Amino acid sequence: MHLQKLLKFSFIPLVLVPLFLSAQEKNSVDEKILSEDRLNLFKYNKDKNEESSSKLKKDWINPINLSLTKSKSDTSNTLKSAININQPIFKSGGIYSAIKYASATYKYTDYDIDLQKKELIKEATTMLFNLNILDLNIKKNELLLKNANIDVDRKKEQVLNGFLDTSTLDNAILDANSIKNTLADLYYQKDELILNFSNIASGEYTSFDLPVLSLVDEDIFLKRNLELSKAKADVEQKDYYSDMIVAKYLPTVSVEASHTQYHEDKDDDISNENIYSYGLSVSMPLDVRTFNDIETERINYLTSKLNLKNIELEERNFYKTKLSKLKMLESKKKIAQDDYKLYDSLLEVIIEEKNAELKTQSDVDTLQNSQKIKSIELKIYELEKQIELLDLYSKIS
């Protein structure tokens, strides 16, 4: 087979593109890799966050109190119903801050749920890649075992003919057994990983196409970074909450209203008497802990701003670390490509010498197996690069 055809899968260049492949495109990372139960858990968390946020936005609205009282004495038997309202209409900016705080809290929790979902998709997809890498490593070690067995047969013949001592044959047998042990470990690792994959995946690993990811630009990675978005929402959340705490110790204007109705009482001749009252009240708490409370929330806000700064630095360095890892894998891949080309040229010579009866079929088989091993290594390096890109994918929206 021509070199370019053999390397068609293994050579996928890294390119800078505006964003990762969309979820609708073929071979892209898709949430459908997760089981329906796992996806439903995230959906329920989203719904819960929606309801919690809606409730939080209404927290500044006091409930209307309804009461029904029946009292009985020696001289009367009274039934009374009442409606009471005590509603703040001005809290020195606290109402506005409470609504904005609810929105910021919703965003913070929403980003956190998205991160958890992305992390689980990454975990499942990483296992999918690793299962395919295990399959390739099994094929690679099977080829190594074939070469080891050829070497054992060759050395056995040389020992029997008196050209080598038995220690050389013993070393060859030990090498073959070492590969057999490696294969046993790989089969176990594959079985274990299949079971772990089935815990969160929606199907068998063989039913999924491998996604093909490309590299994003650093600025876009930071702009769409979920960790940064979550940290920014936390700063916003702490800012509005700090305003709410300040407003708690400033004047509050409230509307007060009540309606009391006395229902018919035959003994006292009360017939549906109504009593209405309404008014405004201004209140402001005087608390010796005011400064401490306000200062605590101010410190929390400043801490969140520093945390945002640190996360931005960490995400920049994370991106650079991934770039470095990708370059390392590309270098290893280049070495394997050079080796493959070398085997390709050597194989032509060995086949010609075999046809001229200067080399044996085992010489050809050994070289062909070695060439196939290099082809497999190229595919493994490409899948390892995809896993590194997957780590970046799991961080962006």
Side-chain angles (χ1 to χ4, degrees), residues 170-188:
D170 188 51
N171 288 334
I173 293 171
L174 289 174
D175 289 341
N177 288 337
S178 177
I179 296 171
K180 290 177 184 177
N181 287 327
T182 299
L183 275 169
D185 288 338
L186 289 171
Y187 288 132
Y188 166 73

Side-chain angles (χ1 to χ4, degrees), residues 262-378:
Y262 289 88
H263 300 277
E264 185 176 354
D265 188 318
K266 293 180 179 179
D267 294 334
D268 289 346
D269 295 326
I270 299 175
S271 181
N272 296 328
E273 181 181 357
N274 290 284
I275 300 174
Y276 296 92
S277 67
Y278 49 88
L280 291 175
S281 67
V282 179
S283 62
M284 187 176 77
L286 299 176
D287 193 330
V288 295
R289 301 167 299 174
T290 299
F291 175 78
N292 305 106
D293 201 5
I294 293 173
E295 189 65 14
T296 297
E297 294 310 319
R298 188 184 73 85
I299 293 170
N300 285 339
Y301 169 66
L302 294 175
T303 301
S304 67
K305 290 184 71 175
L306 283 177
N307 184 53
L308 171 61
K309 188 176 179 181
N310 289 332
I311 289 175
E312 184 173 0
L313 177 62
E314 289 169 3
E315 293 305 308
R316 285 186 185 277
N317 288 333
F318 178 82
Y319 183 88
K320 291 174 183 176
T321 300
K322 290 302 170 184
L323 280 185
S324 180
K325 183 72 175 288
L326 289 168
K327 288 177 183 177
M328 180 270 289
L329 290 170
E330 192 64 37
S331 297
K332 287 186 175 182
K333 186 177 169 184
K334 179 66 170 59
I335 294 169
Q337 285 173 337
D338 293 339
D339 289 343
Y340 184 93
K341 292 175 184 178
L342 178 61
Y343 282 123
D344 197 46
S345 60
L346 287 174
L347 195 55
E348 292 180 6
V349 176
I350 295 296
I351 291 174
E352 289 176 0
E353 291 183 349
K354 186 259 180 184
N355 292 335
E357 298 184 353
L358 297 174
K359 296 290 182 182
T360 63
Q361 183 60 43
S362 63
D363 293 320
V364 175
D365 291 342
T366 299
L367 205 57
Q368 283 179 333
N369 290 337
S370 296
Q371 186 188 43
K372 290 175 183 176
I373 287 169
K374 288 302 171 184
S375 177
I376 289 172
E377 287 179 357
L378 286 168

Side-chain angles (χ1 to χ4, degrees), residues 235-246:
V235 172
E236 187 179 358
Q237 185 184 38
K238 297 286 195 303
D239 188 19
Y240 286 120
Y241 190 72
S242 179
D243 291 342
M244 287 170 60
I245 294 300
V246 172

